[in-house]
Amino acid sequence: MAYGVAAAHTRLETSPHSSPGWFFDVDQAVGAMGCALLWIRRRRPLVLALVLVALSAAFEFVSGAMLVSLFTVAVHERPRKTMEVFLASVAAALAFTLLHPEPGLSSVLLFLFGAVIQGSAVSWGMFVHHQRQLVRNAAAEANLRAEQAQLRAREAVAREMHDVLGHRLSLLSVYAGALEFRPDAAREDIARMAAVIRESAHQALQDLREVIGVLRAPEGELPQPTLADVHRLVSESCRAGMRVELLGETLDTAPETAGRCAYRVVQEALTNVRKHAFGAGVSVRLNGRAVQGITVLVVNTAPGASAVGVPPPAPDAPPGQGLVGLAERVALCGGHLEYGATDDGGWKVKAYLPWP
């Protein structure tokens, strides 16, 4: 198929009686109309392409607009639709070749020439479509990664709030229960319990401010405890009336990440004892060294009477998700967590953490 005005004049000059004179004027009018319709090619690319393909079977001047519409379809439509329109355009090229043969030129070569030009337009459009799809996919993946990063940050803050505030509030619950259970206690004991409640409430507010500060300023981070703070953790629990024994090594040279995770294991275990088994005896054992790793073992006996006369928590207190989150935290550090009931009716939490 020949494309353009020059090719049309050549055909008319070589074969002046191949078509009536008015047909050339109609061909030009249809070509101008096809160019004008290109303004709507992005709103109705498929419909416009089919109309121009049908007109190109009889009119030559509309072929340029038809090529542009083929390119637009390839850019904006699915590949399957694009191939259907392309096959229709090849059929239209074959029809044009049969309706308007060129004297002295091979019809097969003219048909192949037109098909190659149409295929080139479609191929280039499909390439642009593929590139745009890659850009959209990359943007979607970037948004997904950003959402996942925000979710991980929120989970980290929620985990810190659970670990820190859960420990503080459980202490408040113990001492508030003591005041309720023993209203006739000595004034010195009541004053001491009230002081601990005030101190724990103040510390809980401080921890909450730190967590909220992280939410308001994501570039900051919470002050993190270390393994050396386990002694303070045990002392607070003992002052609250628990019977806690710390055994094993100090592990002052333990890695920061592993030490912090070990601290959280002990903190969560002691918090759960206060919630569900107050009055039970608890042993905390820390062992480890470089290469061999860190082992944390917290075992409590069955619930018993409190040494300070504080009643145990309500038996219908719903269990939380602390151990599940703790297992995830330990796994992120490269270790593993085990927990479950002991033979004597108590509870055991055991964690292993790597020490490079």
Side-chain angles (χ1 to χ4, degrees):
M1 181 191 297
Y3 291 89
V5 179
H9 280 291
T10 302
R11 180 173 58 80
L12 291 176
E13 290 176 0
T14 55
S15 182
H17 303 291
S18 58
S19 58
W22 58 266
F23 185 82
F24 181 74
D25 296 332
V26 173
D27 197 349
Q28 287 182 316
V30 171
M33 181 190 65
C35 293
L37 289 176
L38 290 179
W39 288 101
I40 64 171
R41 69 185 185 278
R42 295 185 178 179
R43 286 181 291 177
R44 296 288 188 272
L46 197 59
V47 175
L48 178 61
L50 292 175
V51 171
L52 295 180
V53 164
L55 292 175
S56 68
F59 301 100
E60 185 174 14
F61 280 90
V62 80
S63 57
M66 184 266 294
L67 289 176
V68 176
S69 67
L70 285 180
F71 175 81
T72 305
V73 168
V75 170
H76 297 284
E77 297 293 333
R78 295 191 300 270
R80 181 177 177 180
K81 292 292 185 182
T82 300
M83 293 307 300
E84 292 175 354
V85 176
F86 172 67
L87 292 177
S89 69
V90 172
L94 178 61
F96 183 89
T97 304
L98 296 177
L99 292 175
H100 304 282
E102 293 287 349
L105 294 177
S106 172
S107 298
V108 175
L109 292 179
L110 289 175
F111 166 73
L112 293 177
F113 177 72
V116 168
I117 292 180
Q118 293 169 359
S120 300
V122 170
S123 299
W124 180 251
M126 294 181 70
F127 173 77
V128 174
H129 175 84
H130 178 69
Q131 292 297 114
R132 291 183 178 180
Q133 189 66 36
L134 290 178
V135 172
R136 287 192 292 267
N137 292 341
E141 291 178 0
N143 292 334
L144 180 60
R145 287 194 296 269
E147 293 176 358
Q148 291 176 345
Q150 291 179 352
L151 180 60
R152 287 193 295 269
R154 291 172 182 172
E155 290 176 350
V157 172
R159 189 179 294 115
E160 293 297 329
M161 291 181 67
H162 174 273
D163 294 340
V164 176
L165 297 183
H167 170 69
R168 297 294 176 188
L169 295 179
S170 64
L171 289 175
L172 286 173
S173 176
V174 168
Y175 281 96
L179 290 176
E180 180 182 11
F181 186 68
R182 293 288 304 275
D184 57 342
R187 297 184 62 181
E188 294 79 6
D189 293 337
I190 294 178
R192 180 175 57 86
M193 294 178 186
V196 174
I197 291 176
R198 179 182 58 80
E199 179 184 353
S200 297
H202 177 74
Q203 188 61 44
L205 289 175
Q206 288 294 110
D207 295 338
L208 184 59
R209 289 192 188 99
E210 292 174 352
V211 173
I212 294 177
V214 172
L215 292 176
R216 292 177 175 175
E219 66 276 3
E221 60 179 18
L222 285 171
Q224 298 295 337
T226 63
L227 197 56
D229 296 321
V230 171
H231 294 277
R232 176 178 53 82
L233 194 65
V234 171
S235 299
E236 290 178 349
S237 299
C238 291
R239 288 198 302 270
M242 297 180 64
R243 293 175 291 149
V244 185
E245 183 181 11
L246 181 60
L247 305 172
E249 308 169 26
T250 56
L251 306 181
D252 292 336
T253 59
E256 180 181 355
T257 301
R260 180 167 59 249
C261 188
Y263 175 91
R264 294 304 187 192
V265 171
V266 177
Q267 184 182 54
E268 178 64 24
L270 294 179
T271 301
N272 287 338
V273 172
R274 281 193 293 270
K275 288 181 179 179
H276 307 290
F278 194 88
V282 186
S283 65
V284 179
R285 182 176 294 274
L286 300 174
N287 291 298
R289 61 190 59 184
V291 180
Q292 293 182 0
I294 302 173
T295 301
V296 182
L297 178 62
V298 183
V299 181
N300 65 272
T301 60
S306 172
V308 295
V310 180
D316 57 350
Q321 298 295 320
L323 290 176
V324 177
L326 189 63
E328 295 178 357
R329 180 193 291 271
V330 173
L332 289 175
C333 293
H336 59 269
L337 181 74
E338 301 174 2
Y339 53 86
T342 59
D343 297 336
D344 59 354
W347 191 263
K348 175 181 67 175
V349 177
K350 184 178 181 179
Y352 169 79
L353 297 164
W355 184 338

